[in-house]
Amino acid sequence: MNPDSEFGRLMQQAAAIKTEQVKADRRRFEAQPPFVQNTLFQCVDEEVSRARSLSDIDARLQIAQTFKNAGNELFKRGEIYDANDKYERCLGCFWYISTSQPDWKHQGVKDEHHTYHEDLLDHDEVKSLVATALANIAACRIKLGEWAGCITACDHALRLSPACVKALYRRAQARTLPKSSGAAELDLAIAD
């Protein structure tokens, strides 16, 4: 298709309109950080689904801790993407998006079908584990050179646990390691 032809221009306009319509259907979803967005896809994982259904905090913590430990082992072996996935599953045991639309993968992500959960984040052990998972997600983002993702994960970890040293350190790293870092980023890192 020639984009300079009349038909090509019409197709580009139609694609732009469709893109805006899709954005309107998923504004709240798009506003979530990627590590929370990814929890929607975890609904197919039996262990994550089981953890989310448990009312016993200790049992849920145990499943989440298993995901975190698996992530730690993968991280040590340099399997960063897989480690990040396990940390997101740990997070997804408590902070996640669920859907009421069974065929959402084919129908698309629409806010009207989603519920946003922050289960038990006022519980000290849960808060600590989720903050640790977020700090570990930040470590993965550093390894992948995804500085903004690291900062976002650290910001959320620090909201849960303001004294999380790993999150403070990793956020400072993400602000100072990129070659594009300047005086403003250095000042922010020092302020941390």
Side-chain angles (χ1 to χ4, degrees), residues 51-66:
R52 291 174 180 175
S53 70
L54 293 171
S55 58
D56 180 358
I57 295 173
D58 291 331
R60 200 184 237 193
L61 277 165
Q62 187 175 15
I63 293 170
Q65 185 71 42
T66 301

Side-chain angles (χ1 to χ4, degrees), residues 28-38 95 97 152-153 156:
R28 186 168 180 205
F29 178 82
E30 292 296 336
Q32 301 300 313
F35 48 82
V36 175
Q37 289 177 358
N38 292 343
W95 185 12
I97 302 170
T152 300
H156 285 283

Side-chain angles (χ1 to χ4, degrees), residues 83-102:
N84 187 76
D85 179 64
K86 294 297 183 186
Y87 296 138
E88 286 181 356
R89 288 173 195 272
C90 172
L91 169 76
C93 289
F94 302 101
W95 185 12
Y96 60 96
I97 302 170
S98 64
T99 184
S100 62
Q101 188 177 22

Side-chain angles (χ1 to χ4, degrees), residues 151 154-155 158 162-176 184-192:
I151 292 168
C154 290
D155 287 347
L158 291 166
C164 182
V165 176
K166 287 182 178 181
L168 287 166
Y169 176 71
R170 290 175 181 147
R171 185 170 68 181
Q173 280 185 301
R175 288 180 173 159
T176 58
E185 289 83 9
L186 187 57
D187 288 346
L188 283 171
I190 291 169
D192 279 346

Side-chain angles (χ1 to χ4, degrees), residues 134-172:
L134 287 163
N136 291 348
I137 289 168
C140 292
R141 297 289 193 243
I142 286 175
K143 289 282 190 186
L144 298 170
E146 296 175 7
W147 313 114
C150 174
I151 292 168
T152 300
C154 290
D155 287 347
H156 285 283
L158 291 166
R159 282 190 195 113
L160 292 170
S161 179
C164 182
V165 176
K166 287 182 178 181
L168 287 166
Y169 176 71
R170 290 175 181 147
R171 185 170 68 181

Side-chain angles (χ1 to χ4, degrees):
M1 172 179 62
N2 181 355
D4 295 328
S5 71
E6 182 64 25
F7 180 72
R9 283 191 295 280
L10 286 172
M11 288 303 292
Q12 286 178 335
Q13 288 175 342
I17 291 169
K18 182 64 176 173
T19 298
E20 289 305 312
Q21 288 173 336
V22 168
K23 278 185 190 176
D25 287 341
R26 50 191 283 170
R27 289 191 198 286
R28 186 168 180 205
F29 178 82
E30 292 296 336
Q32 301 300 313
F35 48 82
V36 175
Q37 289 177 358
N38 292 343
T39 65
L40 177 62
F41 303 96
Q42 297 167 0
C43 63
V44 297
D45 182 294
E46 288 180 25
E47 277 300 292
V48 173
S49 293
R50 189 169 78 80
R52 291 174 180 175
S53 70
L54 293 171
S55 58
D56 180 358
I57 295 173
D58 291 331
R60 200 184 237 193
L61 277 165
Q62 187 175 15
I63 293 170
Q65 185 71 42
T66 301
F67 283 124
K68 184 188 83 79
N69 293 342
N72 290 347
E73 290 303 314
L74 290 162
F75 190 87
K76 287 177 193 173
R77 293 196 309 254
E79 298 175 35
I80 306 306
Y81 289 105
D82 293 334
N84 187 76
D85 179 64
K86 294 297 183 186
Y87 296 138
E88 286 181 356
R89 288 173 195 272
C90 172
L91 169 76
C93 289
F94 302 101
W95 185 12
Y96 60 96
I97 302 170
S98 64
T99 184
S100 62
Q101 188 177 22
D103 197 27
W104 66 271
K105 286 185 181 180
H106 295 96
Q107 299 296 321
V109 174
K110 294 182 180 176
D111 284 338
E112 66 190 65
H113 301 293
H114 294 19
T115 305
Y116 296 79
H117 305 268
E118 293 182 5
D119 298 350
L120 308 166
L121 291 184
D122 56 341
H123 186 278
D124 288 340
E125 284 182 75
V126 171
K127 194 183 299 187
S128 175
L129 182 60
V130 169
T132 299
L134 287 163
N136 291 348
I137 289 168
C140 292
R141 297 289 193 243
I142 286 175
K143 289 282 190 186
L144 298 170
E146 296 175 7
W147 313 114
C150 174
I151 292 168
T152 300
C154 290
D155 287 347
H156 285 283
L158 291 166
R159 282 190 195 113
L160 292 170
S161 179
C164 182
V165 176
K166 287 182 178 181
L168 287 166
Y169 176 71
R170 290 175 181 147
R171 185 170 68 181
Q173 280 185 301
R175 288 180 173 159
T176 58
L177 286 176
K179 293 187 190 306
S180 62
S181 295
E185 289 83 9
L186 187 57
D187 288 346
L188 283 171
I190 291 169
D192 279 346

